[in-house]
Amino acid sequence: MKKTILITISILSVALIGLAFARGHGWRPCAEERVAHITSEIAERLDLSAAQKMTLDGIAEDFLEERQQVMKDRRAFKSSLMEMLSQESLTAQELTGLFETKKPAIETVLQTAAEHLAEFHGMLTPEQRRILVAEMESYDGRRCRFLH
């Protein structure tokens, strides 16, 4: 009986410890949570005014709306690609044709990103731009220190 209780307690302890660490090692927040975290960090680090924060939040909302369409297009593209890969034969021209269908969406995303970045840049003070550049320079390629 005591042995069973000790085993049960041990298993529960390991499970609880695992759950406690799951947020940092396996659990991934949804896109909305990540965007909220990022915008909050940017606003804090750059000491954005209320008007600047509203502009940043608007940019974030636009991003989330566009993301939904991008994800829908991505699923359709993947489905088409999987269908092509399951065929007996496949040519580079067929794949190129499929890839060409993605170019307009990619160009739209790039144009929107450029517009939003220019809008964001335009609302910053010279000091905020200096801080932004300094924070972005700390990016090491694996993890953005600006956001953590």
Side-chain angles (χ1 to χ4, degrees):
M1 179 76 167
K2 286 183 180 182
K3 188 175 183 179
T4 305
I5 292 173
L6 286 174
I7 291 172
T8 303
I9 290 172
S10 297
I11 290 172
L12 288 174
S13 297
V14 169
L16 288 174
I17 290 169
L19 287 173
F21 287 102
R23 178 172 165 91
H25 297 286
W27 177 82
R28 298 285 183 239
C30 67
E32 291 81 6
E33 290 172 329
R34 287 191 310 266
V35 168
H37 172 73
I38 290 167
T39 56
S40 175
E41 285 291 318
I42 290 171
E44 182 181 325
R45 301 252 176 130
L46 299 181
D47 193 26
L48 297 181
S49 68
Q52 289 174 318
K53 178 76 168 106
M54 284 180 55
T55 301
L56 180 60
D57 289 342
I59 291 170
E61 286 176 28
D62 289 349
F63 167 79
L64 288 170
E65 289 173 11
E66 186 170 328
R67 181 185 179 278
Q68 290 177 346
Q69 184 61 43
V70 168
M71 295 305 291
K72 181 180 173 186
D73 293 346
R74 179 180 174 204
R75 286 187 289 274
F77 175 80
K78 182 179 178 182
S79 176
S80 298
L81 180 61
M82 294 297 113
E83 185 178 313
M84 292 176 84
L85 292 173
S86 67
Q87 297 174 359
E88 284 294 318
S89 64
L90 180 63
T91 66
Q93 287 178 322
E94 291 172 322
L95 286 169
T96 301
L98 178 63
F99 298 154
E100 288 292 326
T101 65
K102 292 293 288 177
K103 281 187 177 179
I106 292 169
E107 290 171 357
T108 299
V109 168
L110 292 174
Q111 179 62 38
T112 302
E115 290 169 1
H116 286 316
L117 184 56
E119 178 183 7
F120 181 70
H121 180 269
M123 74 173 191
L124 297 176
T125 66
E127 178 63 16
Q128 289 170 325
R129 284 193 293 273
R130 186 195 63 71
I131 293 168
L132 176 65
V133 170
E135 292 283 353
M136 291 180 75
E137 285 175 342
S138 72
Y139 177 75
D140 67 3
R142 291 182 310 258
R143 171 171 270 182
C144 184
R145 292 186 191 127
F146 180 65
L147 302 176
H148 301 296

